[in-house]
Amino acid sequence: MGEFITNDYQGQPFQFLGVAHIVILILLVLLNLFLLRDKKKDEAARSRTRWTIAIILWVNEALYHIWNIYYGSWNIQEHLPLHACSILIWLAGFMLIRKNQTIYEFAYFMGIAGALQALFTPDVGIYGFPHFRFFQTFISHGLLVTSAVYMTTVEGFRPTWKSLLRVIVVMNIYMVLMLGVNALIGSNFLFVSRKPPGPTLLDALPEWPLYLLVIEALGFVMFLLLYLPFIIKDARAKRAERVA
C-alpha cells in the first residue's frame, strides 16, 4: 500500500493518453451521463448527490495537502489555494450545497475551461496509475467539471452574457494580482509568470509574456464555446415566440 502513496514513486510514470488516462476520462464522461437521471428525482435526492460531490471534493483536496505536509513538500509557492482550479474546488462544494449562482458562474466558465485542460494534460509528474496523486488529480478536476455540469443540466442553472463579462473582468483583475503575488513569493499561480514544467498546452504557445495574450484570446473563445448552447437555446426560444 505504501508504494501507492509514497512521494518517491517507482512505478510507471503517467503516460499522456495512455490506457489509464483514456479510461479515467471515459469514466468521468459516464459519471456525468449517469447523473443526468437526477433530473427526475426530488430535491432531497438531488441534495444528497450535491452533498456527496461536495464532500468528495473537499476531502480529496484536503488529502492532497496532508500528503504534501506529511512528506515535507508543502510550500506556499505551490500549495496555497490560489490557482483558479484550487479555489474553485473549495468553492464548488459551497455552490453545490447552497446552490449559489455567483459561484456557479465562475465554476461554469473558469472551472470547466481550466479543469478540462488539467484533465487532458494533468500536472502529475512521475505519478502514474495507480498512485494516489493520479487519482487525486483526476477526482478533483473531474468533479469540478461535474459540479458545474450537474448544476446546469440537473438543477437548471445557466450563465448569462452579464455573467460571462463578469467572469472575464474578475479573472483579469485576479491575474494581475497573481502577477504581484508571484513576484513577491516566487510562485507561479495561474501560470502567468512562466510556463509550468512538464508537457501542457502552453508549450505550443509563444514565450512569456506573449503567451498571456494568447491565453486571453483562447480563454475568450473557450468561454464563447461554453456559452454557445445557451445562445442557441435563446435563439430557438425567440423564434418560437415569434411563430406563436
Side-chain angles (χ1 to χ4, degrees):
M1 181 65 181
E3 63 182 298
F4 301 124
I5 62 172
T6 180
N7 66 340
D8 185 24
Y9 184 56
Q10 300 298 318
Q12 287 291 327
F14 173 77
Q15 295 181 358
F16 173 69
L17 293 184
V19 174
H21 190 190
I22 293 174
V23 167
I24 203 161
L25 291 178
I26 292 173
L27 289 176
L28 289 171
V29 172
L30 293 177
L31 171 64
N32 284 274
L33 292 175
F34 175 78
L35 290 176
L36 285 176
R37 68 178 191 163
D38 277 15
K39 292 177 68 174
K40 299 179 180 180
K41 296 182 179 179
D42 59 20
E43 170 58 24
R46 298 198 309 272
S47 179
R48 286 193 293 271
T49 298
R50 297 197 310 271
W51 269 95
T52 299
I53 298 172
I55 291 172
I56 293 174
L57 276 170
W58 287 339
V59 170
N60 184 66
E61 191 69 5
L63 287 174
Y64 170 64
H65 288 276
I66 292 170
W67 180 76
N68 278 284
I69 291 170
Y70 179 82
Y71 285 106
S73 56
W74 196 97
N75 58 75
I76 62 172
Q77 288 79 16
E78 296 178 277
H79 300 106
L80 287 178
L82 295 179
H83 279 298
C85 286
S86 299
I87 296 174
L88 287 170
I89 284 167
W90 291 107
L91 291 179
F94 292 103
M95 172 194 70
L96 290 163
I97 293 169
R98 304 294 298 177
K99 301 176 75 171
N100 186 286
Q101 172 69 29
T102 301
I103 299 176
Y104 163 78
E105 295 170 0
F106 286 89
Y108 184 80
F109 288 115
M110 283 303 304
I112 293 179
L116 283 179
Q117 177 183 327
L119 288 170
F120 284 106
T121 57
D123 181 22
V124 291
I126 64 171
Y127 304 109
F129 175 86
H131 193 272
F132 158 74
R133 275 286 286 132
F134 175 89
F135 288 106
Q136 184 275 326
T137 297
F138 283 100
I139 288 172
S140 61
H141 293 94
L143 289 188
L144 178 54
V145 173
T146 297
S147 299
V149 170
Y150 188 89
M151 294 303 291
T152 305
T153 59
V154 176
E155 296 294 349
F157 278 46
R158 61 157 293 172
T160 64
W161 282 112
K162 287 184 178 179
S163 62
L164 189 154
L165 178 61
R166 185 160 45 244
V167 170
I168 290 174
V169 170
V170 171
M171 288 309 302
N172 273 277
I173 293 172
Y174 186 67
M175 182 179 71
V176 173
L177 290 175
M178 288 303 100
L179 280 168
V181 170
N182 292 340
L184 183 65
I185 67 174
S187 55
N188 191 25
F189 294 116
L190 294 189
F191 303 126
V192 293
S193 298
R194 58 188 177 275
K195 292 182 181 181
T200 68
L201 296 179
L202 296 183
D203 293 338
L205 303 184
E207 293 303 314
W208 189 93
L210 292 179
Y211 77 78
L212 297 179
L213 300 177
V214 180
I215 288 176
E216 287 275 347
L218 292 175
F220 182 70
V221 171
M222 185 66 177
F223 286 0
L224 286 179
L225 289 174
L226 287 170
Y227 194 64
L228 183 60
F230 302 98
I231 295 176
I232 296 172
K233 180 180 179 180
D234 292 343
R236 287 177 175 174
K238 289 181 180 178
R239 190 180 304 117
E241 288 178 2
R242 288 196 297 268
V243 172

